Amino acid sequence: MITTLAFSASAADSQKQIIAAAELSGLFEKDLHGRPYGAYATLIQQALNETGLEKEYELVILPMKRAKVGFINKQFACYAPGIDTFDQPDERQKLTNTLTSAPLNIALVRVLSDRDLPLVTSLADISAEDTISIVRGTPMSTEMRQLADRAYRMYQVQSELENIAMLQNHRVNHLFVFYPDVLFAYERLGLAQHFAYAKGFSPLIIHDAITCHAKHTKALNTLSATIREYREDGTLQKVLGQAYLLDSPCPPISTSTTNPPHRASK
């Protein structure tokens, strides 16, 4: 309650429209003073500054649930990382008259395996002897649910840092992880050697973007055009660095991924 009241007061003082960004490791984070940082935060703030939209719009980092509920209730003008994170049917039904920008990036799920095990390339590679770990709130496509159902147990943790630790400590033998988020977990853990995954297998691929209510179409169109320019002139890749996956070879989106995905929060 204290956090909500503090945020509301700040928003009222600024009189700016809010772009609510859901906390994502290395992408959307805030420092001890509540100031945004991270690859996506830097990119969006740069776009706001260069287009002059910073006079009207403010980027605010919030827990994913808070950001999503506020956007659904039209408390916030826009939401990132985009509409693909609204996975529940009732959420989608409430999101009418919204528009989504050009993609900031691609986000995809990989299945990491303990170093002594074969890589997971299909459902057949998971059995009742396996255990899996996942960040709470991570997307669960149909294929991911089928993999989890075949395993003995699936654990839920709070971050990709904890997720990697589960595999390091042999508490599980497989992980569902999100790229690029997990790259920042490796970096913070100081792990030069990464766990292996099958490069041709991804049970979920989504696009990260900015979604706004229709009344903010003009601002969104401006941001979208700027994002396209950033991609063409190399700014997008430069700002995102290791997180940039848009032009990376990715496997085709699985036809079994039928449920709208929900991106994990930090």
Side-chain angles (χ1 to χ4, degrees), residues 24-145:
L24 296 173
S25 296
L27 302 174
F28 286 125
E29 299 191 68
K30 57 185 176 182
D31 62 20
L32 294 176
H33 302 287
R35 294 176 298 223
Y37 73 94
Y40 288 178
T42 299
L43 183 75
I44 292 175
Q45 192 60 59
Q46 179 174 328
L48 291 173
N49 293 342
E50 292 184 356
T51 59
L53 287 171
E54 86 283 356
K55 297 175 183 177
E56 303 174 55
Y57 292 85
E58 178 181 3
L59 181 66
V60 176
I61 312 299
L62 297 167
M64 178 169 279
K65 184 176 180 180
R66 169 80 173 93
K68 289 172 65 178
V69 170
F71 182 67
I72 288 173
N73 293 335
K74 299 185 178 180
Q75 181 183 357
F76 307 134
C78 305
Y79 167 83
I83 200 166
D84 280 348
T85 65
F86 292 88
D87 63 335
Q88 299 300 319
D90 60 328
E91 291 179 337
R92 288 293 183 113
Q93 289 173 3
K94 295 174 183 176
L95 286 176
T96 57
N97 297 321
T98 60
L99 300 170
T100 298
S101 73
L104 298 169
N105 206 11
I106 284 176
L108 64 159
V109 171
R110 298 294 196 184
V111 183
L112 307 189
S113 300
D114 206 339
R115 293 189 171 94
D116 297 328
L117 293 177
L119 302 181
V120 175
T121 61
S122 68
L123 290 175
D125 296 324
I126 296 291
S127 72
E129 297 180 357
D130 292 311
T131 51
I132 299 175
S133 178
I134 188 172
V135 176
R136 189 180 306 276
T138 293
M140 289 294 287
S141 65
T142 299
E143 194 165 7
M144 292 172 68
R145 289 189 177 93

Side-chain angles (χ1 to χ4, degrees), residues 180-191:
D181 312 44
V182 73
L183 296 175
F184 298 97
Y186 280 128
E187 186 177 89
R188 290 170 185 177
L189 289 168
L191 295 180

Side-chain angles (χ1 to χ4, degrees), residues 219-237:
L220 182 66
N221 286 344
T222 299
L223 288 172
S224 196
T226 303
I227 292 167
R228 290 192 185 96
E229 290 176 7
Y230 284 172
R231 185 174 182 182
E232 291 173 3
D233 67 15
T235 299
L236 190 58
Q237 185 170 7

